[in-house]
Amino acid sequence: MTAPESGRGIGNGVRGAEETTTFGFPRDTFRILHVSTGNVCRSPITERLTRHFVSQRLGILGGGLIVESAGTWGHEGAPMESHAETVLADFGADASGFVGRELLDDHVIRADLVLTATRDHRAQVISMGHSAGLRTFTLKEFTRLVNAIDPATLPPLDEGLVMRARALVRAAAALRGWLLAPTAEADEVYDPYGAPLPFFRSIGDEIHQALDPVVTALTGVPTRA
């Protein structure tokens, strides 16, 4: 088992000897894993937009927050799709240096929060085990749950982004059985692979709309006007 890398993350925590999780990883970091199929379209967009929006809110890189992605049939070593890069550029987000990855057990073990593009991806992650059920959601499912959480019940940001993020995941998991999707499709982000740029942009807008309340809840800072 390898130590968490920092190359694809936002911020780096300092590991204390006693500050470890059950799996032996640092408790002073919070790792978000975005999952789609090929890890060249949806999950790279979501990964890089998450980093971008956190940085926008806080004005700095989010200390202790690591954001990465992988694919259930990931194109290992592949670059991001060019239309996905264009979508990120539309939002002013950085697409550079991205390399596709196939989803591995180690990615799931290390993740504090797994956000998937679809319900099938969620099921595949949970089927891998590693007690992933309580920390794995579709992106839109997590957004719906986050919208129902009173921000006043979360730790303030001055107590640390990591502490706030962990509390947010616990609160969302507690609400899961009470706030079901109105339709099955409501929790899906459809695959734009091979589609023209306008469809990619529509998926980028969906991801943006879903991420906005999540990043606001994580940081305690609303979208800047």
Side-chain angles (χ1 to χ4, degrees):
M1 191 175 291
T2 59
E5 77 283 352
S6 60
R8 296 182 67 169
I10 291 182
N12 297 311
V14 178
R15 183 173 180 174
E18 74 288 350
E19 293 299 313
T20 58
T21 68
T22 303
F23 296 109
F25 295 108
R27 291 199 62 85
D28 53 359
T29 61
F30 186 89
R31 189 179 294 261
I32 301 174
L33 175 66
H34 293 291
V35 175
S36 62
T37 302
N39 193 217
V40 291
C41 298
R42 288 168 291 181
S43 51
I45 291 172
T46 315
E47 173 196 320
R48 294 305 177 92
L49 285 183
T50 301
R51 296 189 197 181
H52 180 64
F53 295 146
V54 169
S55 297
Q56 277 188 328
R57 299 295 208 287
L58 299 181
I60 56 172
L61 297 180
L65 183 65
I66 299 170
V67 185
E68 56 189 357
S69 62
T72 56
W73 290 90
H75 299 288
E76 187 73 29
M80 190 186 310
E81 282 289 296
S82 60
H83 286 343
E85 291 184 349
T86 300
V87 167
L88 289 173
D90 290 344
F91 287 100
D94 181 17
S96 64
F98 181 86
V99 179
R101 305 190 306 175
E102 182 176 355
L103 181 67
L104 302 177
D105 288 89
D106 197 44
H107 300 147
V108 177
I109 289 170
R110 290 184 294 179
D112 296 288
L113 172 63
V114 184
L115 297 176
T116 69
T118 70
R119 292 168 298 145
D120 283 347
H121 296 134
R122 181 184 63 195
Q124 289 179 66
V125 171
I126 293 173
S127 73
M128 295 171 73
H130 315 303
S131 303
L134 290 177
R135 51 196 168 90
T136 303
F137 310 79
T138 73
L139 171 62
K140 289 185 176 180
E141 173 192 20
F142 194 67
T143 302
R144 183 175 65 254
L145 297 172
V146 163
N147 282 333
I149 296 169
D150 181 356
T153 65
L154 300 174
L157 190 60
D158 59 13
E159 292 185 15
L161 184 61
V162 170
M163 183 178 293
R164 184 179 177 92
R166 292 185 187 281
L168 182 66
V169 174
R170 289 194 299 269
L175 287 173
R176 174 179 267 157
W178 299 94
L179 291 174
L180 302 179
T183 66
E185 290 73 24
D187 282 344
E188 305 283 293
V189 176
Y190 291 106
D191 193 354
Y193 186 78
L197 181 56
F199 187 67
F200 265 82
R201 282 185 161 135
S202 71
I203 293 299
D205 288 339
E206 279 188 40
I207 291 171
H208 171 216
Q209 291 170 21
L211 276 178
D212 184 73
V214 171
V215 175
T216 296
L218 277 172
T219 63
V221 181
T223 306
R224 294 179 179 178

